[in-house]
Structures are given as C-alpha cells and as structure tokens.
C-alpha cells in the first residue's frame, strides 16, 4: 500500500483490493495465517490518513469497521512476558477518522472509552476516545470524564482526573471529591491537591 500511494497518482483501486483482502481474512492459507485479518488491519492502519484523504467515500466504511468494537485484536508474540491482545488497528483507525472528520465519527470515540481494558494499547484507545469526546463537546461529555476518573484502568483515570483539574472548579469539585474517596491512589492525590488549591465553602471542614 505504501508503494501504491507513493506516486503523484495513487493507485487507489489496487490499494482497495489489498484492504479488502485483509478485511475478509486473506492469507488464511498462507504464511501469515495465524495472524488473520488482525495483522492486515494493523498494517493498513498506518496508511488510513492518506487513504481517507484520497478517497473518503470508499475508505470511510472500512475505517469505521476497523475503529469499532468488532475490530479484531492483534495477537502479540506469545513469548513476550506481558503478551495480551492488543488493538493496534483499531487505535490507528480511530486516530485517522477523528483527524479526518471528528464530528462524523465522535460516536466511535465514545465507544472506545468503554472498550475492555487488556493492555497499554487498549488504555491508549480509551484515552484517545475520552480526550476526543471532551474536546469535541465538553458539556455533553463531562459525565464520561467523571465516570472515567474512577476507572480501574489507570491510563484512563489519570487522563480523566487531569481533565477535571483543568475544568472550571465548581463544575468539577464534586467529581474531585469522589476521586479522593473512591479513586486510585494517584488519582486521589491529584484530586486532593486540586481541592486544596481553590477556596470553596466547606473546605476547612473537608
């Protein structure tokens, strides 16, 4: 795909053929059969920004499938000590779609926030979804930030509490108090620090 896109006139029909083979699990009888379509999604993800720019009508449905909850996980090397299923393709696709047209694809960002947490890659996926949603519409998605601050996924909770700390204090104060009471240690400390910096009614008793 990289070579097909390199020229002044990208060969999009051939690029589409390769992408479709990956989506359909092409390679099941070949040397990469153990990887299946997840490998192709991972490889395709790095080229999606250019593909979406060159032919959004054709490649957007495929990119949305890759960025959605049904995107296949990419199996990492079983010998790696922290080997778990990692969703490289889904992360890359979501990044590309949000860069291309955030309003159209913000639903996928919200879905990503609730993705099952399995490893650092899934943590990045959730963080991307939360950051994109809040930047797109802070008022609408503030409740998701409050919820994420108490997530067992430390990647996500760290990002969420940072958003709370930067938000208007009176809007965020009750959420920060919940972080102190129920959050993980680092989240609770960050929230407590924010609560001590700003004067508010009842602070001394608190």
């Amino acid at each position: 795909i990289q070579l097909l896109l390199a020229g002044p006139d990208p060969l999009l029909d051939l690029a589409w053929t390769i992408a479709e083979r990956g989506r359909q699990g092409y390679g099941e009888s070949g040397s990469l059969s153990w990887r299946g379509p997840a490998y192709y999604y991972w490889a395709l993800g790095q080229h999606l920004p250019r593909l979406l720019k060159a032919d959004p009508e054709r490649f957007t449905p495929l990119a949305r499938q890759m960025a959605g909850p049904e995107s296949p996980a990419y199996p990492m090397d079983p010998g790696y000590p922290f080997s778990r299923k990692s969703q490289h393709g889904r992360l890359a696709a979501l990044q590309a779609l949000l860069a291309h047209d955030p309003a159209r694809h913000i639903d996928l960002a919200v879905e990503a926030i609730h993705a099952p947490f399995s490893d650092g890659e899934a943590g990045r996926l959730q963080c991307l979804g939360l950051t994109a949603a809040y930047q797109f519409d802070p008022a609408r998605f503030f409740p998701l930030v409050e919820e994420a601050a108490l997530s067992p996924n430390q990647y996500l909770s760290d990002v969420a509490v940072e958003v709370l700390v930067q938000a208007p204090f009176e809007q965020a104060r009750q959420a920060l108090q919940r972080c102190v009471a129920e959050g993980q240690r680092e989240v609770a400390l960050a929230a407590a620090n924010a609560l001590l910096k700003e004067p508010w009614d009842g602070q001394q008793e608190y």
Side-chain angles (χ1 to χ4, degrees):
I1 290 179
Q2 181 178 353
L3 293 174
L4 294 174
L5 298 177
D9 297 313
L11 302 176
L12 293 173
D13 288 340
L14 286 176
W16 173 251
T17 298
I18 294 173
E20 275 291 279
R21 286 178 173 178
R23 184 182 67 83
Q24 296 167 6
Y26 177 79
E28 290 180 0
S29 60
S31 61
L32 299 178
S33 59
W34 67 274
R35 294 175 176 176
Y39 173 76
Y40 290 92
Y41 278 10
W42 169 79
L44 180 62
Q46 61 188 309
H47 305 297
L48 276 177
R50 290 191 64 188
L51 292 170
L52 288 171
K53 182 178 180 180
D55 193 342
E57 183 176 352
R58 183 186 298 189
F59 286 99
T60 292
L62 174 60
R64 283 188 59 86
Q65 181 187 44
M66 291 172 61
E70 300 304 318
S71 183
Y74 176 73
M76 296 172 64
D77 182 354
Y80 187 68
F82 302 104
S83 178
R84 297 175 183 175
K85 290 184 177 179
S86 184
Q87 299 184 345
H88 298 284
R90 184 177 180 185
L91 177 65
L94 183 58
Q95 288 173 324
L97 287 167
L98 291 173
H100 181 71
D101 189 346
R104 182 177 176 184
H105 306 297
I106 200 66
D107 62 311
L108 294 174
V110 175
E111 284 186 347
I113 299 171
H114 299 104
F117 175 66
S118 59
D119 65 0
E121 205 70 43
R124 289 178 60 197
L125 179 70
Q126 291 178 316
C127 293
L128 172 64
L130 183 67
T131 302
Y134 183 74
Q135 289 177 345
F136 179 73
D137 192 336
R140 176 183 171 189
F141 294 113
F142 190 78
L144 288 180
V145 177
E146 296 178 290
E147 177 186 339
L150 300 178
S151 169
N153 173 357
Q154 188 172 344
Y155 297 95
L156 184 62
S157 60
D158 285 349
V159 169
V161 77
E162 183 62 29
V163 172
L164 292 176
V165 168
Q166 299 297 326
F169 181 73
E170 282 305 316
Q171 179 188 20
R173 180 167 61 83
Q174 290 186 355
L176 290 169
Q177 288 177 280
R178 284 194 293 274
C179 288
V180 172
E182 304 174 34
Q184 300 187 61
R185 181 180 62 182
E186 296 302 321
V187 168
L189 288 172
N193 188 52
L195 289 166
L196 293 174
K197 281 185 176 180
E198 296 285 342
W200 46 281
D201 291 342
Q203 185 187 53
Q204 188 62 39
E205 293 80 0
Y206 179 79

